[in-house]
Every structure is written in structure tokens, then in C-alpha cells.
Amino acid sequence: MANVAQNAFLGLSRNELTALVEEWGEPSYRASQLVEAIYRQRVESVEQISTLPQQLRSKLVKMGATVGLPKIDKRFVSVDGTVRYLMEFADGLSVETVWMPEGDGGEAGDGSEAGDAISARGWDRATICVSSQVGCAVECQFCLTALLGMKRNLTAGEIVGQVCAVLKDQKVSPPQDRINLVFMGMGEPFLNYDNFIKAARLLVEEVGVAEPRMTVSTAGIVPRIHDFGLEPLRPKLAISLNASNDAARTQLMPLNRKWDLEKLIAAAREFPLRNRERITFEYVLLDGVNDSVMNANEVAELLRGMRAKVNLIALNPGPGIQFSTPAEGRVNAFQQTLIRAGIPTFVRRPRGRDIFAACGQLKRTVEIATAPAV
Ligand code: SF4
């Protein structure tokens, strides 16, 4: 697949930028100036990199070099403060990136500080939900993104660029501001593994996001879970479970045919966890499908003895999705069953439902979003 952002600086590492400036016959400290301008100041154009001499800037513009920051095409603002951004890339394709002041509760109980909060300015920590692909090939039956099909992978620069664009728009900066990242937007990050890992590295080393504040969610691409465990720098791992037995999981997530629960749970058990770290299992509750106490007991059995926690998400309804949201009583009964089995279990608050920003709802729903674009 062509790198649509191949003239862009975003996505290049410090070493790659150093090689570039040497190619131009410039001193190597220019690479640090570029890093500072692109990842920290988050400039929008080469012209704005004021530390570079004007002559060099003009030369770069002539060469067709760009920063590669995605364009914020639209913003949908929810009553709860969540903002759903429509980000457009150089080739005109777009993804969604979601800003959630105060997070979505998904960080609670995972052994990091990310879930603790007090606030002086309305929010004390915020979470950005980042996309990794345009569309998705995985076909989870409860997910709106799946209906889009798969368009293409995002480059590392396009993944980092979403974060930079949101930070700039919200006028915040890690590490001074407590920013959590979840790679849970459109797409399956482990099917775009190299770009995702490179982006995670850049986000920690150059943008300044704290490594323990990042979480990636996979639908269960087992070989990549093994690879991921070996990475020297990595976000925390979340696995999208959503069913308690193979028959149900294959129906909801067809990739279970290839990587069934036995393989998935074995990979999770072997995953090398750091101190205080737990694997998160995400479980979307669908009324009458996977939300009974019997299902909860099966989940408890699957996760027995594992350093894990469970995040429950009552389905976020959407057009074209055949399932419905369970009543609160069923959600509570499911949660209590897991807690009694000794598994820390949290119910994630739905964020931005009114603007289709909640989990499984990202599908460039411009035409059906009810909130005003600003
Ligand atoms: S839930 Fe995630 S992996 Fe599954 S179809 Fe949606 S975006 Fe893809």
C-alpha cells in the first residue's frame, strides 16, 4: 500500500529525521529542531517551523515536504463534554478520534494511576481514543465500524497525527496534563502492527505521553499478542472478549474461528505482565445474547487465576446493529458474579452516545449525528 503521507515529517523518528537533514547537507541539530516543532509545538506547516532558517523552509516547501497533521474536518460536541473529531488525511479519507475529558472509566483498577482523579479545571485527566485503520476487516457483529469494511491502514504519522491534532485543538500537553491514550477507535491495531508500534514509540519518546497511560485493544490476533509481549516499549493490553464460549464468540466475532478461546486465553496467560499490571478484558453486553449469569460464570472460569480485570460495556445502540442494550439489572448481576469470583470488574460509562462517539459507534456518522458540528 502506498504511503500516502510519504512527504510528511510526522511519523519519522529522531534517527530518520537526522538521516534526512544530513542528506540536505544541514547540521544534525536541525533534526532536534524538527522533532521539537512537529511533536511538541505541533506546528501545522513547514513555514511555521520558526527555528529553521527561512531559506531552508522555502527549499523544503518547494520539495513538497509537509508536516502531515491531519485536518480536523468536523467536531461533534456531546452534552457530556466528549468531542468526536472527524480527521481527514492527505488522500481525502478520514477516521474518527474521540476526546473524553475525565476518561470513560476504563482505566479504573488496572494497576496504574490513570483512573485516579481530582480536578481544578473541570477535568483532571482526559482520554483520547485513537484509530489505527480506515474502516476495519474484523467484522464484529455489534460494531458500526465493521459496516464500513476495510479501506486502508494508517501510517505511523497518521496515528500520531490524530493525537497531536487533538492536543493542539484542546490546548493541552503531556506530560504536564494527564493524558491517557486508548487505541480502540476504528480498526484493529494488531492488523497494522508495525505502524501502530512505531506510533506508540513516538508518542512516548517525542510527544511525551507516559507509557503506562496507553492501552491497546485487540479483537484477538493471537500471533501479534505474542510479539507485543516482547516489545521493549508497549502500551497495556486489552482483549475484546465479548463472549464466554466459542459458539457464541464465533457468531459475534468471526475471527474466533481462526483464533479460538483456547488459543486466545493461552496467549493471555503467557503474556509477560509488568509490576501491578493487569490484562483488561472488554466485554460488550448484548441483551439476551451474552449477558446472563451463566455467561458470567463461564467468563470467570476462563479468567480464573489470571491477573486480569474486566470492563463491561452495555451495548451502544446504532443504526444497522441488530442487538439491543441490556437493562441495568442484568449488567449489575453480570458484574457482581465476576466480582464474587474475585475478578475486578467495572462498568464503563458510555461517553458521547448522543454524537455516536461511544464504543463500537465510530463510523463517520456525519449524516446521522444529532449534535451540532462546531
Ligand atoms: S470492534 Fe474493533 S475489531 Fe471489531 S469490527 Fe469494530 S473496529 Fe474492528
Side-chain angles (χ1 to χ4, degrees), residues 132-133 135-147 184-189 191 217-221 240 242 252-253 255 284 359-362:
S132 55
Q133 298 179 307
C136 187
V138 177
E139 298 185 320
C140 302
Q141 298 299 296
F142 48 82
C143 173
L144 277 175
T145 304
L147 300 177
M184 300 184 185
M186 294 167 78
E188 162 56 61
L191 290 180
S217 177
T218 177
I221 314 295
S240 195
N242 306 319
L252 293 174
M253 304 174 76
L255 95 168
V284 177
C359 287
Q361 289 191 318
L362 300 185

Side-chain angles (χ1 to χ4, degrees), residues 283-297:
Y283 197 104
V284 177
L285 291 163
L286 310 168
D287 189 35
V289 175
N290 65 355
D291 65 339
S292 69
V293 168
M294 187 202 82
N295 294 134
N297 281 319

Side-chain angles (χ1 to χ4, degrees), residues 99-258:
W99 163 261
M100 294 171 280
E102 287 303 331
D104 64 353
E107 308 86 354
D110 59 5
S112 76
E113 288 176 6
D116 312 334
I118 23 129
S119 173
R121 60 166 165 178
W123 59 272
D124 179 66
R125 68 193 156 85
T127 299
I128 303 174
C129 179
V130 185
S131 293
S132 55
Q133 298 179 307
V134 185
C136 187
V138 177
E139 298 185 320
C140 302
Q141 298 299 296
F142 48 82
C143 173
L144 277 175
T145 304
L147 300 177
L148 267 183
M150 168 65 178
K151 300 275 185 345
R152 71 168 171 86
N153 280 333
L154 295 187
T155 64
E158 289 169 333
I159 297 172
V160 177
Q162 293 168 66
V163 178
C164 289
V166 173
L167 294 175
K168 189 178 178 76
D169 192 57
Q170 294 290 336
K171 301 183 179 58
V172 292
S173 234
Q176 305 88 295
D177 296 302
R178 295 168 63 174
I179 305 294
N180 302 314
L181 298 185
V182 293
F183 298 93
M184 300 184 185
M186 294 167 78
E188 162 56 61
F190 282 7
L191 290 180
N192 185 17
Y193 188 81
D194 293 345
N195 288 326
F196 155 68
I197 285 290
K198 187 176 185 192
R201 242 180 254 144
L202 288 168
L203 285 162
V204 171
E205 290 170 356
E206 308 303 357
V207 179
V209 179
E211 189 181 354
R213 292 191 179 282
M214 306 197 299
T215 304
V216 61
S217 177
T218 177
I221 314 295
V222 168
R224 292 290 90 77
I225 294 176
H226 289 292
D227 297 342
F228 187 59
L230 301 173
E231 294 290 344
L233 185 156
R234 64 161 176 81
K236 291 179 294 186
L237 177 66
I239 293 174
S240 195
L241 184 64
N242 306 319
S244 57
N245 56 62
D246 275 320
R249 195 163 192 270
T250 300
Q251 224 169 8
L252 293 174
M253 304 174 76
L255 95 168
N256 193 69
R257 250 179 240 121
K258 189 159 182 186

